[in-house]
Amino acid sequence: MDEISNCPECYSENTYFDGTFNVCPDCSHEWNDTDSSEENTVPKDSNGTILEDGDSVTVIKDLKVKGSCMVIKRGTKVKSIKLTDNPEEVDCRIEGSSIVLKTCFLKK
């Protein structure tokens, strides 16, 4: 039997194969080892929609900006995002400041 990898979400070793997908009972994440490399290279929003340069997105959670007293409120619309080398981050401008946001806090 093949060795099952650790969970890519929570890195738990407590994983099993259910016949179709690898499953982590700790965080309920399901994945397929053959697709994992492709999934991590495509930037996606919190709903799984693929993001592209120039897209407009909405912030889904109040976010405190590190090193500042600024708070980005939920529902803030961000126009013309720029993708970075990291598929989990996008570069954008909010209130005149250049900020990097995690894609898990955005929706298209």
Side-chain angles (χ1 to χ4, degrees):
M1 185 171 184
D2 291 340
E3 183 78 20
I4 298 176
S5 61
N6 293 351
C7 176
E9 292 290 316
C10 69
Y11 306 106
S12 172
E13 296 177 357
N14 184 20
T15 59
Y16 64 91
F17 184 70
D18 73 350
T20 307
F21 294 105
N22 294 328
V23 179
C24 176
D26 297 333
C27 69
S28 302
H29 180 67
E30 296 180 350
W31 74 99
N32 188 345
D33 281 335
T34 59
D35 296 340
S36 63
S37 62
E38 184 178 317
E39 282 182 19
N40 294 335
T41 60
V42 178
K44 297 181 180 177
D45 70 358
S46 61
N47 295 327
T49 306
I50 296 174
L51 297 172
E52 298 177 358
D53 274 337
D55 282 346
S56 294
V57 294
T58 304
V59 178
I60 62 168
K61 178 182 176 183
D62 288 352
L63 301 173
K64 293 181 183 177
V65 179
K66 287 185 180 180
S68 170
C69 61
M70 181 176 163
V71 176
I72 302 171
K73 297 288 187 179
R74 181 181 64 179
T76 301
K77 294 199 180 225
V78 181
K79 297 178 182 178
S80 300
I81 63 169
K82 294 178 187 169
L83 302 180
T84 62
D85 293 336
N86 184 348
E88 296 178 359
E89 297 176 344
V90 296
D91 190 23
C92 61
R93 293 188 67 77
I94 299 177
E95 297 178 13
S97 300
S98 181
I99 298 177
V100 176
L101 296 175
K102 295 274 190 179
T103 57
C104 62
F105 300 120
L106 304 174
K107 71 176 180 178
K108 194 168 179 180

